[in-house]
Amino acid sequence: MSSPPADTPTESSTGNADRPQRADVSAGLESALRSACDGDVRFDEYTRVLYATDGSIYQATPAGVVFPRDADDVQAALEVAAEHDADILPRGAGSSLAGQTVGEDCVVLDCSRHMDAVLDTDPEAKRVTVQPGVVQDHLDAHLAQWDLKFAPDPASSNRATIGGGIGNNSTGAHSVRYGITDAYVEECDAILADGTRIHAREIELDGPEWEEIVSKDDREADLYRTVRALVEDNADEIEARYPKLKRSVSGYNLHEVVYSGENESVDGNGSATANEDDAEYVNLAKLFVGAEGTLGVVVSATLSLVSLPEQTAVALYCFSDLVDAMEAVPEALEFDPSAVELMDEEVFRLARESSEYAKYAGPIPESATAALMLEFDSELHGDLEAAVAQTYRHFVHDGVAFDSIEAYHEDSQADLWKLRKAAIPLLMSMDGDPKPYPFIEDATVPPDELAEYVQGFEGILEAHDTSAAYFAHAGSGTLHVRPILNLKEGEGVEKMQSIAEDVTSLVLDHHGSFSGEHGDGLARTQFNPKMYGPQLWAAFKQLKTTFDPDWRMNPGKVVFRDDDPTDMRENLRYGPDYASLEPATVQDFSEEGSFSHLVELCNGCGTCRQTDSDVMCPSYRATKEEVATTRGRANLLRAAISGELPPEELYTERFQEEVLDLCLGCKGCQSDCPTGVDLAKLKAEVKHQYHERAGASVRSRLFAEFDRLAKVGSTLAPVSNRLLNLPGSSFVAQKLGISPERDLPTFASRSFESWFDARGGPQIPREEAAAEVLLVPDSFTNYVSPEVGHAAVAVLEAAQVHVRVPDAEPSGRPAYSEGFLDDARERAEANVAQFAPHVRDGWSVVYLEPSDAAMVQDEYRDLCPGEEANVLAANAYGVCEYLNATGADDRIEFEPTDERVAYHGHCNQKALGTAGHATAVLDRAGYDVAALDSGCCGMAGSFGYHDEHYDLSQDIADILREQISEADADSVVAPGGSCRSQLSEQSPTHPIEKLAALVR
């Protein structure tokens, strides 16, 4: 707990200096908050773990979390907290990198759940008023109809909230063009720690409105009088100490809060303009920007907007030396770019070694040590090609750059931006305990001093026997540099502190700022006295006390109490005292390092909270619950293996139901998570161990044995189908935990295997065939939808493929998904032993069910690792993947069609990067394909059949159904059997059936 500084002279300037250190939060706080607030109030252990971390290296366990529904709820929570002497911490998406959104024993106000509305839009004035929980990409999507946007563009914009951006004074790649958040916050409604509401806006000093406010004897009058006095009394220090940079977000914005009408300001297009009047103004809204929630809670904000450029162009220039690239930055700024970004050889190396990012690094020359990426927009340049040509002449023809890449189309530009934004995930996915940690990664210096600064930084790294990659916003003088350290060792922690001390001195020598983007938080607050000097540091503390007399708003950030200083070495998520258990596992975790290392790959960046594209995380998209994110589950797993929760908590019924059971096993996190936290793999392992300890339910065992049950059901059909519809059958199903609202599968009386045998087996003789395939039927195809198998045989044989249907074990997917790993491994071993010799003889192994194909391509390598499993995985395909990857469909003659189909790819395919094969084949066959950027369908094997998951399953499916509706297609195709069951009202078919329908 923190309280005001104890060594300052007067109560009026510092608050109650004699206030004792507070005891633990009183037991009555939770019940009082429940009574006062309409939103949820949670103080349980799981919630406290979930909100103990953010995107930074820090961890601090809060007292509990309130999810306010509106400003009245925020006010009520603040008033209750004041009565109970409790600290308050406002929070958005929790993607902050400096530890702003964690606090020991604080009451967290999660404003992202309910307070996410766009309240008012004035396109003509280029202004919008929003609540703090609005996600920036959602706001920009709303504004796009008027060709407007909010200018700051942090890399986390697909989940970061506007409130968080205000708290951190966020910016992004285009700050060269547009500046940072404080230039765009015009007004805000805020609530102070005691519940006082204020409306902060521009007020003319000594004008009628000013006189009316300061004539009163209340909190608002005190704020205005104090702020004016602090600015006027410290004018010389403000002028001397605040860096003259586009990006400087440390400390409080005393240099922005009072301004003259003659001063330059940013207009609606991000250009500097001068006001005509010479009056002076004060705007307290500028103080809340960058204050990190230490002054009050912003409950709404009015923002100025900029227009969207109609066109952009990107040029990337390659250098053989990092310093040469840095020396080119100030030259680049002379050409009016909207962005100047840096990448270095380490980023390129990691990208080339990554299956996900290798294609983006492909065009970069191997000899490139560094590259500058310049963007130009049509608002500043009438001829984009001419602008690029001019810089080419300067940097390549007449300069030291040796190559360039130009991009004028949206897709090619997106590829370059993806490579640039891949830097952090690539670095953070590094194997082992040493990681490139963020703690001085956004120090900023004037661009014309970058080259000298980088040389000094290299010296610091060398002196501390470590290295780092360089990337990010060179045009603004901000380089993201993350030294590689092992913070699990005391030496690593002390080295971090020493590097930070040296870098802050280096930054001061270059007239820079310790933070140009990510703020102070727990990482940099301790250096603010060094940056601003004793006079401004005292002014900061007086400002804090005026807004928050008891120092209860997010204590320890921006300013700290003199007898309780913020220390960057404390509250580390991974410190010298951290230790984790390493459970014995069935699956092989050597590729990830270990079970615990895979858990610890989660860095808290919160990508799993994005809801607009990709797959991850379907249950979060429907519930908006932190526990339903990959981050949330990883945090709770880590808490259990590290002793923060009792280790046996992993194997409790509560953990299974509240944490793991809401994971659909879609595998989206394997690809969408920047560091590749494969929660589906972790879930399967923990579920297996839970079954070993506590036993398995009848329902789990039934679903795990679906392969065998389906075979019996088909053998007994149609009798078995009638039994499922007998009176009382739904009652029995519900007793087993199966939703009575679900239609159970109807079994075919003739399996696909029987059909294939009856037709006489292969119709294309082996000696005449262009290729040989083992077509392995999954249980759903074999016993429920054999027509899919029929279609596959027709298409493959039309491609002159010799097709055999082997008598093989099921893939083991149902057993794996339910956590019966011994059963899954047994089937994997049998199939590897059976198929690998055929593969070595030139056969391909093809599956119709995407989850079965993924099982062989991915999970088999974990269940029975070795060369044989790798060989099989490399030659196993989904059926459309096989057609596209081998070019087999080129041998097929298709009938013409003008049918438009909406294609929903299976989530497992998307995780493995194979979903696009079906769209490619359908397109070549002649269909007009609308490939949906969809997540999971919500059925996910057995998940949608669970009685307790039925509503959630439908909520997830509704997201997909809306996308299908918007596609305005004639029909729907989906390769997954579960997906087709979920979308039964849309009558979807397997894409192979669509192809078979056009085969001549």
Side-chain angles (χ1 to χ4, degrees), residues 393-609:
R393 285 194 298 273
H394 182 84
F395 291 117
V396 180
H397 187 272
D398 300 329
V400 296
F402 67 86
D403 202 354
S404 70
I405 299 171
E406 299 177 6
Y408 297 96
H409 299 290
E410 185 176 345
D411 290 344
S412 55
Q413 290 182 48
D415 286 351
L416 291 175
W417 278 111
K418 285 175 183 175
L419 178 62
R420 158 55 196 92
K421 292 183 178 182
I424 290 178
L426 286 168
L427 290 166
M428 290 307 294
S429 61
M430 187 178 294
D431 292 336
D433 288 332
K435 301 285 185 189
Y437 286 114
F439 58 96
I440 43 86
E441 85 289 353
D442 64 327
T444 302
V445 300
D448 58 1
E449 299 188 38
L450 265 178
E452 186 179 347
Y453 169 74
V454 166
Q455 293 176 72
F457 207 116
E458 285 283 298
I460 293 172
L461 293 175
E462 184 177 350
H464 289 87
D465 192 28
T466 188
S467 61
Y470 293 80
F471 62 98
H473 319 300
S476 298
T478 302
L479 295 184
H480 290 339
V481 189
R482 296 187 173 196
I484 298 171
L485 300 172
N486 184 359
L487 297 185
K488 292 182 179 179
E489 297 176 350
E491 180 184 356
V493 174
E494 294 307 314
K495 188 181 289 189
M496 175 181 71
Q497 165 87 353
S498 179
I499 290 173
E501 286 281 4
D502 290 349
V503 170
T504 52
S505 296
L506 179 66
V507 168
L508 279 178
D509 289 344
H510 288 280
H511 316 97
S513 170
F514 301 156
S515 177
E517 183 170 16
H518 297 151
D520 294 327
L522 295 171
R524 285 181 282 275
T525 291
Q526 76 177 78
F527 299 106
N528 276 340
K530 180 177 177 180
M531 177 171 175
Y532 289 104
Q535 184 174 331
L536 285 182
W537 180 244
F540 285 173
K541 291 191 290 185
Q542 187 173 348
L543 180 73
K544 165 72 169 174
T545 301
T546 304
F547 278 81
D548 179 21
D550 295 323
W551 285 49
R552 291 186 300 100
M553 296 299 304
N554 202 9
K557 320 307 185 334
V558 185
V559 291
F560 54 77
R561 202 184 62 155
D562 290 351
D563 61 355
D564 186 18
T566 301
D567 188 329
M568 70 180 302
R569 297 167 293 182
E570 296 178 353
N571 297 112
L572 293 172
R573 189 188 313 185
Y574 302 112
D577 296 332
Y578 178 86
S580 62
L581 299 173
E582 195 59 60
T585 61
V586 174
Q587 299 176 91
D588 179 28
F589 284 86
S590 59
E591 187 173 331
E592 299 88 354
S594 66
F595 178 96
S596 62
H597 279 166
L598 179 54
V599 174
E600 293 166 9
L601 275 178
C602 176
N603 61 19
C605 67
T607 305
C608 42
R609 289 176 60 102

Side-chain angles (χ1 to χ4, degrees), residues 825-956:
R825 180 172 59 185
E826 181 180 333
R827 294 175 186 182
E829 289 172 344
N831 285 324
V832 169
Q834 179 177 352
F835 295 146
H838 291 284
V839 167
R840 293 190 185 277
D841 286 340
W843 292 75
S844 296
V845 182
V846 173
Y847 292 85
L848 294 161
E849 173 57 43
S851 60
D852 281 54
M855 183 78 180
V856 178
Q857 293 167 334
D858 190 26
E859 280 86 357
Y860 274 22
R861 295 185 297 113
D862 296 325
L863 289 167
C864 48
E867 182 61 25
E868 296 294 273
N870 290 336
V871 166
L872 174 57
N875 293 277
Y877 304 88
V879 64
C880 290
E881 179 187 2
Y882 172 79
L883 293 170
N884 190 50
T886 64
D889 63 306
D890 290 338
R891 299 189 293 271
I892 304 173
E893 187 176 357
F894 293 105
E895 296 282 358
T897 181
D898 59 0
E899 183 177 352
R900 178 172 171 80
V901 297
Y903 169 69
H904 165 64
H906 194 280
C907 46
N908 287 179
Q909 290 179 311
K910 293 173 184 175
L912 298 182
T914 60
H917 291 290
T919 58
V921 178
L922 288 167
D923 180 71
R924 284 200 296 274
Y927 288 105
D928 177 14
V929 184
L932 306 177
D933 186 9
S934 52
C936 182
C937 69
M939 183 63 87
S942 66
F943 179 88
Y945 286 99
H946 293 185
D947 193 21
E948 69 274 21
H949 295 155
Y950 176 79
D951 289 340
L952 174 57
S953 173
Q954 292 297 334
D955 289 342
I956 296 170

